[in-house]
Amino acid sequence: MSRPAGEADQIVTVGRIGAPYAVSGWMRLESFTDPLENILQYDPWKIGRGRDWRDAELAGVERDAKGLRISLKGCASPEEARRYTGMFVGVPVQALPETPDGEYYWHQLHGLQVCNEAGENLGHIEKMLDTGANDVMVVQPDPRSIDDRERLIPWLQERVVRRVDLGQGVVRVDWPADY
């Protein structure tokens, strides 16, 4: 898979740091990966938000009934851990493994235009939602769309999603404009 120009500098968010845990600098980790342990496979880790990211090195991991707890190298107290609360864990986009044909990372879909089989532009993908049953595209209107409606369109490959063209920036769907 080729990556768009400038994508090498992008950071993809894969988790969020939660509250400190215990007295030695451990903290809760909310993983955005599925399964949640996949976050541990990425290297290098970046911690931050927006455009402010810095390198972080994992020092320890524990799993419990509530999820993952981590410690970071150089963080040895609850006060130090508290500074990380609410920060995101990211990885450089080039650190992500290649996806099989027909599979995409959500960050690749963000911003793509959604057009139906009749050639009508329904808007762009603002975000993706995990509903449990299937993923859902949140399609927002924009100046190129046929109307001002927000649409929630299920990500059901072959049934609804007919074709994804990352190069052209378009997702073709079998979805009527009046639905």
Side-chain angles (χ1 to χ4, degrees):
M1 166 181 73
S2 64
R3 305 213 190 268
E7 191 172 319
D9 297 332
Q10 290 182 358
I11 301 294
V12 177
T13 304
V14 294
R16 182 175 33 230
I17 305 287
Y21 179 85
V23 295
S24 58
W26 286 76
M27 55 201 95
R28 294 258 175 225
L29 174 65
E30 177 186 3
S31 174
F32 300 158
T33 64
D34 184 26
L36 65 92
E37 291 89 356
N38 278 1
I39 193 171
L40 304 172
Q41 297 175 12
Y42 296 120
D43 186 47
W45 269 24
K46 305 280 187 179
I47 303 288
R49 59 175 63 93
R51 294 202 164 280
D52 184 25
W53 294 90
R54 64 179 180 265
D55 292 332
E57 191 173 337
L58 200 58
V61 178
E62 294 179 352
R63 169 116 171 133
D64 66 15
K66 294 182 180 180
L68 296 173
R69 294 185 305 249
I70 61 166
S71 67
L72 298 174
K73 196 168 258 185
C75 182
S77 72
E79 294 75 29
E80 290 172 333
R82 200 166 286 112
R83 293 181 316 175
Y84 293 101
T85 301
M87 293 186 128
F88 292 97
V89 176
V91 295
V93 71
Q94 68 269 21
L96 296 174
E98 297 287 327
T99 58
D101 285 342
E103 292 185 22
Y104 307 93
Y105 290 111
W106 283 7
H107 78 273
Q108 294 175 298
L109 303 174
H110 186 266
L112 297 184
Q113 292 295 302
V114 178
C115 296
N116 65 15
E117 304 250 279
E120 298 168 308
N121 187 322
L122 304 178
H124 69 277
I125 299 175
E126 181 67 25
K127 64 182 175 180
M128 297 289 294
L129 299 175
D130 177 3
T131 64
N134 54 266
D135 297 334
V136 173
M137 295 177 277
V138 177
V139 179
Q140 292 292 325
D142 59 36
R144 296 177 279 184
S145 59
I146 61 169
D147 57 28
D148 290 334
R149 290 182 47 209
E150 176 185 80
R151 291 176 172 82
L152 301 177
I153 302 175
W155 185 271
L156 298 170
Q157 288 188 297
E158 296 180 16
R159 271 187 42 207
V160 175
V161 176
R162 298 299 184 144
R163 188 168 43 105
V164 177
D165 187 333
L166 294 177
Q168 293 292 317
V170 176
V171 176
R172 293 263 175 222
V173 295
D174 183 5
W175 197 260
D178 60 353
Y179 194 67

